[in-house]
């Protein structure tokens, strides 16, 4: 089936940064953007998922417990997978693809690897059939050129989340995060057609930033 967005027509670079909660994706997206703005010639745009569009805004309300099912439970994993996929298609059409078509670099804090990881782990039935179903929901989503996974041990992620002092979101329990960390280490196997690079993300922000930049340059050859 032809993709909704034809990659051959986009001239930009689409990069995704992934990892468990507390891995540092938001920080490293911002750092990489600064480096690319200084060192390169292409326009750079940072973005995130859930996006700031209408579906993404709804999803954030679910993650913080502002929207619940009657009785107070959070929606189940399959509902969440559909919501995240709807947000993603809207994000690609409204924001990512138009920017890429100008030749820009889009850096996204999370994309469909998060759906494969979080929705399969939270389903409690992370077998291939579940992962395949989630993959099928995202089949028309534009493929990133490069996905960088920030690899941190779950206890490091937990300590960083605690230091932030914010109320825990839907997936921020330690058992879930441990399973997510294992899933992310193995991400390349779940996304065999994508370029996935795992970066060790323990240590100073500056060291991790340098490793992320190396991963970017290793793939694209220039800023
Ligand atoms: P996060 O990226 O940590 O942003 P913030 O700290 O600014 O709220 O929160 C997004 C959460 O949503 C995170 O726990 C991962 C989860 N998520 C999914 O479960 N599936 C997805 O497809 C995406 C994009 C995110």
């Amino acid at each position: 089936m032809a993709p909704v967005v034809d990659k051959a027509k986009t001239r930009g670079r689409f990069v995704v940064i992934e990892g468990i909660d507390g891995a540092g994706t938001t920080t490293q997206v911002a750092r990489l953007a600064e480096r690319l703005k200084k060192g390169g010639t292409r326009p750079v745009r940072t973005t995130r998922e859930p996006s700031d569009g209408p579906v993404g805004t709804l999803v954030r309300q679910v993650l913080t417990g502002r929207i619940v099912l009657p009785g107070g439970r959070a929606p189940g994993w399959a509902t969440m997978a559909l919501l995240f996929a709807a947000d993603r298609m809207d994000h690609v059409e409204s924001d990512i693809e138009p920017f890429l078509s100008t030749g820009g670099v889009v850096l996204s804090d999370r994309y469909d690897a998060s759906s494969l990881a979080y929705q399969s782990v939270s389903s409690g039935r992370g077998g291939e059939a579940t992962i395949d179903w989630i993959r099928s929901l995202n089949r028309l989503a534009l493929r990133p050129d490069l996905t960088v996974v920030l690899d941190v041990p779950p206890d490091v992620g937990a300590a960083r989340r605690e230091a932030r002092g914010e109320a825990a979101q839907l997936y921020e329990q330690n058992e879930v995060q441990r399973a997510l960390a294992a899933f992310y280490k193995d991400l390349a196997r779940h996304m065999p057609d994508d370029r996935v690079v795992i970066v060790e993300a323990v240590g100073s922000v500056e060291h991790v930033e340098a490793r992320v930049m190396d991963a970017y340059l290793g793939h694209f050859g220039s800023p």
Side-chain angles (χ1 to χ4, degrees):
M1 199 189 299
V4 167
V5 177
D6 184 354
K7 193 76 226 290
K9 289 193 188 137
T10 62
R11 288 175 289 121
R13 296 172 175 179
F14 180 22
V15 179
V16 173
I17 301 198
E18 286 279 353
I20 64 171
D21 290 276
T25 58
T26 308
T27 303
Q28 293 301 333
V29 162
R31 294 275 180 136
L32 180 60
E34 284 317 307
R35 284 217 179 191
L36 297 179
K37 281 177 191 163
K38 281 195 199 117
T41 53
R42 293 167 181 267
V44 179
R45 178 166 177 75
T46 62
T47 184
R48 63 175 184 169
E49 289 195 359
S51 77
D52 294 315
V55 188
T57 303
L58 174 85
V59 171
R60 283 184 187 279
Q61 293 184 320
V62 178
L63 294 174
T64 55
R66 180 69 183 77
I67 292 178
V68 289
L69 297 179
R73 259 189 317 123
W77 67 274
T79 304
M80 294 306 290
L82 289 159
L83 285 173
F84 279 115
D87 177 44
R88 187 158 301 123
M89 294 312 291
D90 178 59
H91 188 203
V92 168
E93 284 192 284
S94 66
D95 187 358
I96 297 174
E97 202 280 331
F99 197 79
L100 289 176
S101 69
T102 70
V105 183
V106 173
L107 305 179
S108 185
D109 181 350
R110 303 188 178 282
Y111 195 63
D112 66 346
S114 282
S115 285
L116 289 184
Y118 282 77
Q119 276 59 65
S120 72
V121 164
S122 63
S123 73
R125 31 182 258 182
E128 276 308 315
T130 303
I131 295 170
D132 251 0
W133 181 72
I134 299 166
R135 207 183 275 119
S136 73
L137 301 180
N138 291 283
R139 193 144 287 149
L140 300 187
L142 178 70
R143 295 323 310 150
D145 296 294
L146 173 66
T147 298
V148 176
V149 174
L150 301 181
D151 181 26
V152 294
D155 55 321
V156 172
R160 290 182 188 165
R161 293 198 305 279
E162 208 155 298
R164 276 185 213 153
E166 290 167 7
Q169 292 194 7
L170 188 57
Y171 302 114
E172 296 182 353
Q173 307 96 23
N174 290 341
E175 329 78 74
V176 172
Q177 296 291 322
R178 270 195 292 277
L180 287 167
F183 190 100
Y184 272 120
K185 275 188 193 295
D186 206 21
L187 185 66
R189 192 169 63 79
H190 295 296
M191 306 181 83
D193 298 330
D194 283 16
R195 173 96 175 110
V196 176
V197 177
I198 310 264
V199 163
E200 199 200 315
V202 193
S204 74
V205 172
E206 290 73 22
H207 279 110
V208 178
E209 176 187 332
R211 288 183 209 127
V212 172
M213 187 67 185
D214 283 348
Y216 181 95
L217 291 175
H219 183 71
F220 293 108
S222 69

